[in-house]
Amino acid sequence: MLQRYSWIPTILFFPILYLAGWLIAKFLAVFFYDLDLEDISLLGTIFSFIFFLLSLPSWVRLRWKQKESCYVLGLSFLDRQSFFRAFFRGFGWALGLIGIVLIPLLFSPWGSWVGQLNSADLVNAVFLGLGVGFAEELIFRGWLWSELNLFFNPQTAVLVQAGIFSFAHFLALLKSGLAFLELFALLFGLFLLGLVLALRRRLDRGVLSGCIGLHGGLVSIWFLINNSLVDLAPNTPSWLIGPGDYSPNPIGGIFGIVGLSCVLICYRTAFAIAGRPSSGERNASSKDAIP
């Protein structure tokens, strides 16, 4: 397997895309003088993702020897009912995970229900959830996981994609000035989330929409809670609500980690009941492969 495939394209793929996006953004900055560094960085990210989408069909055809890129990446709409059912099932699990964090918080002295939902926050939450859910799931549970199956056995590929998913947030988290234990807890929570999302795609038989619903649901629901629905006291402990002063991330809190661990147990149990081994995915070279 290692003789047939090379790590070089895998390692260089995203750096090249990022460089191309950054060059386009810097070029536009010459004509639009009011663009600051954050705007340029955002534009570069957007262009990089556009290049990623444009290059995926060729990558799947040339690298994975597959013709149906949407099917391999879990985005096929051949069975729309199953596609949307998986999405709302994943969103339901997101509600459950948020509930595990929210209920203890509301019964503590640090959180109180406000419930002042406005249309602007609702629209922002929908676009933020769908945008982050679709982009990150297509990259990590779509492209990356399928790519890793070229080099590793199924069990190892699941762990590696979760580790890369966690580490991909490392540099951004370093800039936030978190303490070591807070940083470790958040990275561990992200690792567990990567495992949960991978198993969600397995349970959905390769369809990616369940991952998008789960991941996007977590992002959008927590955005609403943090901005409109719940008033959090400034002294709320990070072990309860997760690290982050102005925008805490519950994935790194004790209840977030416990909730993700419970979901992992439920998913593993579901595989056992269904009579399928947890390593049931097959190599992406098969047409009916489930990563």
Side-chain angles (χ1 to χ4, degrees):
M1 184 67 70
L2 292 177
Q3 294 177 350
R4 180 181 176 185
Y5 297 101
S6 169
W7 278 103
I8 296 176
T10 308
I11 296 174
L12 294 182
F13 187 41
F14 268 92
I16 291 174
L17 292 177
Y18 181 80
L19 177 61
W22 182 81
L23 290 175
I24 295 292
K26 292 292 289 185
F27 176 77
L28 293 176
V30 175
F31 301 96
F32 299 95
Y33 300 102
D34 56 341
L35 292 177
D36 56 25
L37 290 178
E38 290 187 0
D39 294 330
I40 295 174
S41 178
L42 178 60
L43 278 176
T45 301
I46 292 174
F47 280 114
S48 297
F49 186 68
I50 292 174
F51 294 149
F52 171 69
L53 293 177
L54 294 175
S55 62
L56 269 182
S58 297
W59 187 280
V60 171
R61 185 177 66 255
L62 299 175
R63 177 78 164 169
W64 300 344
K65 310 303 180 183
Q66 293 288 316
K67 295 181 180 180
E68 302 176 11
S69 58
C70 287
Y71 184 88
V72 176
L73 295 167
L75 296 175
S76 176
F77 282 90
L78 294 179
D79 187 351
R80 295 185 181 183
Q81 186 176 4
S82 297
F83 189 90
F84 288 106
R85 186 187 299 119
F87 176 87
F88 288 110
R89 188 184 299 117
F91 188 82
W93 280 97
L95 281 172
L97 280 169
I98 293 296
I100 292 175
V101 176
L102 183 60
I103 292 174
L105 179 65
L106 293 178
F107 280 96
S108 74
W110 300 290
S112 59
W113 182 262
V114 177
Q116 296 179 351
L117 183 63
N118 58 70
S119 58
D121 283 340
L122 184 59
V123 171
N124 286 336
V126 170
F127 279 98
L128 180 65
L130 290 177
V132 172
F134 174 75
E136 292 203 1
E137 290 313 301
L138 183 59
I139 292 172
F140 291 101
R141 256 63 60 183
W143 173 79
L144 177 64
W145 192 9
S146 298
E147 185 72 10
L148 291 174
N149 273 282
L150 301 178
F151 303 98
F152 300 109
N153 61 53
Q155 299 94 325
T156 303
V158 171
L159 295 173
V160 173
Q161 66 83 29
I164 295 176
F165 174 68
S166 176
F167 186 76
H169 297 81
F170 180 70
L171 293 179
L173 294 175
L174 277 181
K175 297 178 182 178
S176 62
L178 296 176
F180 173 78
L181 288 179
E182 293 179 330
L183 179 62
F184 177 80
L186 193 49
L187 290 175
F188 180 66
L190 287 166
F191 176 77
L192 291 179
L193 179 60
L195 295 178
V196 166
L197 291 166
L199 293 182
R200 181 69 262 163
R201 187 179 177 192
R202 282 184 177 178
L203 285 169
D204 293 328
R205 302 193 61 79
V207 177
L208 197 63
S209 56
C211 302
I212 297 172
L214 175 52
H215 193 164
L218 290 174
V219 172
S220 59
I221 297 169
W222 186 251
F223 175 86
L224 291 176
I225 290 174
N226 197 36
N227 289 273
S228 302
L229 300 179
V230 176
D231 183 25
L232 300 176
N235 62 337
T236 305
S238 61
W239 63 263
L240 174 64
I241 198 63
D245 294 330
Y246 301 104
S247 182
N249 191 332
I251 294 296
I254 184 65
F255 290 107
I257 291 175
V258 169
L260 289 169
S261 300
C262 291
V263 173
L264 280 174
I265 294 173
C266 291
Y267 284 0
R268 299 282 294 186
T269 303
F271 279 113
I273 293 175
R276 288 189 292 165
S278 61
S279 59
E281 79 270 22
R282 289 159 290 192
N283 192 285
S285 63
S286 173
K287 179 180 178 181
D288 58 348
I290 301 174

